[in-house]
Amino acid sequence: MSSTPYPFAAVVGMDSLRLALLLNAVSPAVGGVLVRGEKGTAKTTTVRALSALLPEVGTYTGCRFACDPAAPDPGCPDGPHTDDAPLTRPAKMAELPVGASEDRLVGSLDIERALSDGVKAFEPGLLAAAHRGVLYVDEVNLLGDHLIDSLLDAAATGSAHIEREGVSVRHASRFLLVGTMNPEEGELRPQLLDRFGLTVEVAASREPDERVEVVRRRLAFDEDPAAFTAKWAAEEDALRERIAAARALLPAVRLGDGALRRIAAVCAGFEVDGMRADIVTARTATALAAWDGRTDVVTEDVRQAALLALPHRRRRAPFDAPGLDEAKLDEILSQFEDEDDDPEPEGPEDSGPEDNGPDDNGPDGDGGGEPPRGPEQEAELPAQRETEEQPAPEPSEGADPAAPQEAPAQGAQGAQEAPPVAAAAPFRTRKFDVPGLGEGAAGRRSRSRTPHGRTTGSRRPRGVLSRLHLAATVQAAAPHQRARGRTGRGLVVRRDDLREAVREGREGNLVLFVVDASGSMAARKRMSAVKGAVLSLLLDAYQRRDKVGMITFRGSGAEVALPPTSSVDAGAARLEKLPTGGRTPLAAGLLQAHEVLRVERLRDPSRRPLLVVVTDGRATGGPEPLARAARAAGLLAAEGTASIVVDCEAGPVRLGLATELGHSLLAPVVTLDELRADSVSALVRTVRNSNNGNTSRRAA
């Protein structure tokens, strides 16, 4: 496999992505790029190709932190630098893998030497390697929150800090940050999204001719990378020169009051939070003008900058895809058509700002054409839902008095179903957690041993020491000082004395929903409330960094509507389309949950599950449906699966079947009303208390 990067100029299409990357190359102050798109869309190829276009950097021969000889970092750990002749080298691109540790990112200290010798033995991390270059993070949405926080702090401040028990190191770290992600695998937190300057949505072209050209070029590159790269060398040189020229012109670009008013109006019109959007849009518009060789920012620059800087910042309802309504954007900008024309005066030879680049790369005039940006083509969920308020098949809410086995009329054959029903508005739910102390991925739900959190004790290090417990280390070393011949003031520390801190934080869990979609749930008001409750729990899972999965049961069996995933958005989308009707195979739903959890334990053994069963407790179909459901629930309880039952029973006649199911699962049972965090009538329940109470009941 050749190490030669694919030429940036040879990338087919992807105009918005290439433009966003080039603007950051012109002005790193823009703040980086987040690239969202499905797998196999050349995200990584395009990003890696950019590093070859960046101007070379000068640095000192022995400096591991790429200090600029023109303005060396006074706090550089390798400084002060001598008068060695500076060298020139290409800008580097550092890649942060998903499984990297915090020490790999920010660097690490040799704590043993720091304690015993008082020496700052610092090993630089990727933040040092990326200084004055590119830091590329593939699958940024899968990184741990603590890594993302460190990464974005460095990107915002231009420096990296490492602190270990009073030993502190700081070094400059300014880089072009590029992250890629597949939204199907989970979203970034809104506050982290906001830290990326620009965002671009990419998708594979649906044009056969363009797809053919992509394949043709890729095959040619794989066959002979050197020859293919040489073929595109002229275009690459032209891009490189244009970046250098735009960088030189950038300080002269004028951002007039008219352009600033346009930017402010657009940001206010889309109700973005904070002021970072205005600042990033202004910097992007300035970089666009410089890229086009102009010294004034025009309206088209503001429009294009907004399309890149605002989609991930606009205020959205939970689970909406990012996007920007271009018609609304044009309407806001049209209000300024007759205002001052201060952007026009000095636009020298170029009369058309949109399309004056003959280069093959063609990004400069693209207003968002090729890759879909996820604008709101599909109307917001509530708008769609209201159109579905048509007469539904017979409500079964009040028609189930005595026998739990009776099947609703429309589900007699197990085939007829009601159309999807609108979900009620989501609400803040009570917090449920898994009992005990886990060791899963960092999150915000259940107690867990984590690298970050409050210190609860100490232990001998396992592997490389990174979290020193200073008091425990001193305590372990103190009794041996005389035997070790200590004469001075320093403490004589041996490796066996070192203790690492044991910390407790919160983990994310696998929240597996088992949702009853049978005819007994098909009454429109009830199913709307049930969907609203599940949507609320999904939102809670998103906020607590959980993985989610969904099983539905109706008719003759159960199906995995959503395999366990980090994409809570996908769960909301599947819930929206959930039909109802037919019999109630409760046992099949619970057995399907047992199988999903068995597979997930093999795949991710450290992530503990939380089962949420949403049902009225009825079971129909086959012999002894309630007894079979109780046996299936007992199987889950015997394996220690933490569970919650959300009781959806309504109407004047209540059979209490969901409560019986809760007893079998050793799980708390909450009604839809009690699920709300602000419900004054609800009892405070936790999985732990319920498990203890049910265990005592079983023993009795």
Side-chain angles (χ1 to χ4, degrees), residues 12-311:
V12 178
M14 314 288 283
D15 293 344
S16 293
L17 171 56
R18 292 192 298 169
L19 176 59
L21 292 171
L22 290 167
L23 292 177
N24 273 272
V26 170
S27 175
V30 166
V33 186
L34 176 65
V35 189
R36 298 165 45 93
E38 59 198 19
K39 53 187 177 296
T41 49
K43 301 186 297 291
T44 300
T45 298
T46 308
V47 173
R48 286 176 176 161
L50 177 69
S51 60
L53 299 180
L54 299 179
E56 292 187 328
V57 298
T59 186
Y60 294 101
T61 305
C63 182
R64 298 171 296 168
F65 302 87
C67 278
D68 185 354
D73 177 13
C76 176
D78 284 349
H81 299 291
T82 64
D83 55 355
D84 293 342
L87 61 89
T88 301
R89 61 163 177 79
K92 290 183 179 179
M93 186 173 104
E95 296 192 35
L96 177 63
V98 170
S101 66
E102 186 178 20
D103 286 348
R104 181 72 185 100
L105 176 64
V106 302
S108 59
L109 288 171
D110 186 334
I111 299 175
E112 185 177 5
R113 287 190 64 195
L115 275 175
S116 57
D117 303 333
V119 176
K120 286 185 184 179
F122 180 69
E123 185 63 32
L126 292 173
L127 292 180
H131 181 42
R132 304 172 67 202
V134 180
L135 181 57
Y136 172 51
V137 188
D138 195 13
E139 306 294 355
V140 64
N141 53 324
L142 302 184
L143 280 182
D145 286 348
H146 63 290
L147 287 181
I148 296 176
D149 289 337
S150 298
L151 176 66
L152 294 178
D153 281 345
T157 63
S159 63
H161 297 261
I162 181 168
E163 303 282 345
R164 291 289 187 274
E165 302 295 341
V167 181
S168 176
V169 174
R170 188 209 66 83
H171 64 83
S173 183
R174 293 182 294 276
F175 48 82
L176 194 167
L177 175 63
V178 183
T180 58
M181 59 176 282
N182 183 347
E184 293 177 355
E185 296 172 339
E187 287 285 355
L188 277 172
R189 289 182 284 160
Q191 60 267 44
L192 297 180
L193 278 173
D194 186 52
R195 299 287 287 274
F196 281 93
L198 310 180
T199 187
V200 178
E201 294 274 342
V202 297
S205 172
R206 299 295 182 258
E207 293 294 328
D209 290 344
E210 193 164 291
R211 294 174 74 96
V212 166
E213 186 61 22
V214 170
V215 175
R216 181 181 292 122
R217 292 187 188 184
R218 185 71 218 190
L219 292 177
F221 174 78
D222 290 342
E223 183 178 345
D224 190 345
F228 186 85
T229 303
K231 177 183 175 182
W232 290 91
E235 286 82 352
E236 291 278 284
D237 289 341
L239 278 174
R240 200 174 289 111
E241 291 170 5
R242 189 172 176 188
I243 290 172
R247 280 190 173 189
L249 181 62
L250 187 64
V253 174
R254 187 173 69 93
L255 185 66
D257 288 345
L260 282 173
R261 281 195 294 273
R262 288 167 170 81
I263 290 169
V266 167
C267 293
F270 283 101
E271 299 183 354
V272 295
D273 296 322
M275 294 300 298
R276 185 176 281 123
D278 303 63
I279 295 169
V280 172
T281 305
R283 287 172 174 167
T284 306
T286 304
L288 276 161
W291 176 249
D292 282 346
R294 290 179 279 102
T295 56
D296 282 294
V297 174
V298 298
T299 300
E300 182 59 27
D301 295 330
V302 175
R303 183 183 190 278
Q304 181 64 70
L307 289 171
L308 293 171
L310 298 188

Side-chain angles (χ1 to χ4, degrees), residues 204-464:
S205 172
R206 299 295 182 258
E207 293 294 328
D209 290 344
E210 193 164 291
R211 294 174 74 96
V212 166
E213 186 61 22
V214 170
V215 175
R216 181 181 292 122
R217 292 187 188 184
R218 185 71 218 190
L219 292 177
F221 174 78
D222 290 342
E223 183 178 345
D224 190 345
F228 186 85
T229 303
K231 177 183 175 182
W232 290 91
E235 286 82 352
E236 291 278 284
D237 289 341
L239 278 174
R240 200 174 289 111
E241 291 170 5
R242 189 172 176 188
I243 290 172
R247 280 190 173 189
L249 181 62
L250 187 64
V253 174
R254 187 173 69 93
L255 185 66
D257 288 345
L260 282 173
R261 281 195 294 273
R262 288 167 170 81
I263 290 169
V266 167
C267 293
F270 283 101
E271 299 183 354
V272 295
D273 296 322
M275 294 300 298
R276 185 176 281 123
D278 303 63
I279 295 169
V280 172
T281 305
R283 287 172 174 167
T284 306
T286 304
L288 276 161
W291 176 249
D292 282 346
R294 290 179 279 102
T295 56
D296 282 294
V297 174
V298 298
T299 300
E300 182 59 27
D301 295 330
V302 175
R303 183 183 190 278
Q304 181 64 70
L307 289 171
L308 293 171
L310 298 188
H312 58 306
R313 291 188 169 92
R314 70 176 181 84
R315 186 175 297 157
R316 303 182 284 127
F319 310 122
D320 285 353
L324 208 65
D325 185 342
E326 295 191 38
K328 181 178 178 180
L329 174 61
D330 291 335
E331 180 184 343
I332 295 172
L333 291 175
S334 68
Q335 300 171 9
F336 296 87
E337 282 180 355
D338 299 327
E339 209 174 281
D340 55 7
D341 282 321
D342 65 272
E344 305 272 332
E346 299 166 64
E349 40 302 4
D350 278 316
S351 55
E354 304 178 59
D355 250 322
N356 60 340
D359 303 345
D360 185 78
N361 63 348
D364 40 310
D366 184 59
E370 209 254 297
R373 263 180 195 81
E376 301 153 357
Q377 305 132 326
E378 46 312 312
E380 229 304 49
L381 295 177
Q384 241 176 325
R385 294 166 181 152
E386 301 209 348
T387 64
E388 294 172 350
E389 285 293 332
Q390 312 163 28
E394 295 271 322
S396 56
E397 185 171 344
D400 42 17
Q405 271 114 295
E406 54 100 42
Q410 73 266 40
Q413 309 97 356
Q416 190 171 347
E417 64 182 39
V421 178
F427 52 84
R428 190 166 65 90
T429 66
R430 291 186 176 278
K431 177 179 174 290
F432 297 94
D433 58 13
V434 179
L437 194 62
E439 293 187 349
R444 293 186 175 180
R445 185 173 296 278
S446 305
R447 293 173 57 230
S448 172
R449 293 188 183 93
T450 61
H452 304 274
R454 63 187 182 90
T455 300
T456 58
S458 64
R459 66 185 178 193
R460 291 183 182 273
R462 301 175 181 176
V464 178

